Amino acid sequence: MNNSTPIRIALWSGPRNISTAMMRSWGNRSDTAVVDEPFYAFYLKRTGKNHPGIMEIVADNEPDVCKIIDRLTGPIPGGRRLFYQKQMTHHLLPEVDRKWLSAVTNCFLIRDPAEVITSYTKKNNDPGLDDLGFVQQAEIFDWVRQHSGKIAPVVDARDVLRDPERMLRLLCKAVGVEFDDAMLSWPPGLRETDGIWAKYWYDEVAKSTSFQPYRPKNERVPEHLRDMHDRCRECYEQLFQYRLL
């Protein structure tokens, strides 16, 4: 393992997952720079989705997709060796050329769709399929497999919460970096690297100092979302079979 080779890690997740906690974990390494949802402003500007703080987000962040990709594949901020990119699958709209994915090390964070949907509906009780990111996650996963000839690393949120150290060790090995104990805990509070949207979404993670223990969710998916859940589950299971164990 060459400790001087720059590595750009793009972790692809949908919403209502543990993606921000994973960003905290990687961001607590001294050798790692992080970026928070770099395509968010582009996504909001293109779709007009009425998310909290939309005007502020678009004004404060780069909406030009070419410039975003240049940033993600260019020099790593602060001269760090690792560049951890917290990516949302639904932000990578179909019109964005996928070729840049070959310049980063892609990995995938999945979560059971029943848990995602029941969490999401607390904020929005009528999501569209595209809002949940499962179809896009499967598409990105397939693109990476077809163009690299390899199965990208997949981790399930439940596994991470049940045994953070074991799963982080497996993920580090899979992406070619050494595990660091600093990934297991972090100081509370927000970060300069958090998106401007943190004040709307990051209350819980701002209070945290480590991954929270897994607690089973026994909430039922609303009847009007059952068909959507079934489609999401097809995509989830496509990746689930490859998860690190």
Side-chain angles (χ1 to χ4, degrees):
M1 187 178 300
N2 187 338
N3 288 335
S4 63
T5 303
I7 300 177
R8 297 164 182 81
I9 301 165
L11 186 85
W12 294 96
S13 171
R16 314 313 295 169
N17 206 327
I18 59 167
S19 57
T20 308
M22 289 289 280
M23 182 174 67
R24 284 287 182 274
S25 173
W26 284 88
N28 209 44
R29 295 177 59 119
S30 62
D31 61 354
T32 304
V34 302
V35 63
D36 188 8
E37 302 184 25
F39 290 99
Y40 195 14
F42 160 75
Y43 167 80
L44 290 178
K45 188 172 182 180
R46 281 297 180 94
T47 64
K49 294 280 186 180
N50 189 24
H51 286 198
I54 177 173
M55 300 302 292
E56 188 179 14
I57 293 167
V58 172
D60 192 64
N61 293 270
E62 179 57 66
D64 184 305
V65 73
C66 293
K67 292 180 180 178
I68 296 167
I69 291 171
D70 285 346
R71 178 188 179 194
L72 298 176
T73 58
I76 297 178
R80 306 287 175 84
R81 186 172 71 91
L82 306 180
F83 191 11
Y84 181 84
Q85 304 169 8
K86 176 193 169 192
Q87 297 281 13
M88 293 287 105
T89 59
H90 56 302
H91 292 175
L92 196 68
L93 296 174
E95 62 262 34
V96 179
D97 193 323
R98 269 56 173 154
K99 289 180 183 177
W100 72 275
L101 294 173
S102 297
V104 299
T105 299
N106 297 281
C107 41
F108 295 83
L109 175 66
I110 60 175
R111 187 186 183 193
D112 186 286
E115 295 187 357
V116 171
I117 291 170
T118 54
S119 175
Y120 195 100
T121 53
K122 291 179 172 65
K123 298 275 188 180
N124 175 356
N125 65 7
D126 194 24
L129 181 62
D130 286 349
D131 295 326
L132 300 175
F134 285 93
V135 173
Q136 298 95 320
Q137 190 172 51
E139 180 267 317
I140 297 167
F141 180 82
D142 282 343
W143 192 98
V144 172
R145 177 168 56 177
Q146 291 168 10
H147 289 79
S148 70
K150 300 176 182 178
I151 301 295
V154 178
V155 290
D156 191 293
R158 181 184 299 145
D159 296 330
V160 175
L161 297 181
R162 282 177 170 164
D163 195 343
E165 181 171 349
R166 179 173 176 275
M167 295 310 301
L168 288 170
R169 284 184 179 277
L170 287 172
L171 181 57
C172 285
K173 182 178 181 181
V175 299
V177 304
E178 293 180 359
F179 172 75
D180 188 331
D181 285 330
M183 300 177 75
L184 297 175
S185 61
W186 50 83
L190 297 177
R191 306 283 189 273
E192 288 185 4
T193 48
D194 289 342
I196 199 168
W197 49 88
K199 58 190 173 186
Y200 301 109
W201 301 104
Y202 292 179
D203 285 352
E204 290 302 314
V205 81
K207 298 172 188 173
S208 74
T209 57
S210 64
F211 290 98
Q212 301 303 299
Y214 176 72
R215 294 184 178 86
K217 310 286 187 185
N218 297 313
E219 302 168 78
R220 290 181 60 83
V221 173
E223 191 61 34
H224 72 286
L225 297 176
R226 289 302 310 177
D227 288 347
M228 187 181 299
H229 164 270
D230 293 346
R231 177 71 181 102
C232 291
R233 184 159 294 280
E234 290 174 9
C235 298
Y236 168 76
E237 290 179 352
Q238 180 183 334
L239 273 68
F240 183 82
Q241 64 183 311
Y242 299 114
R243 77 193 193 283
L244 298 176
L245 288 172

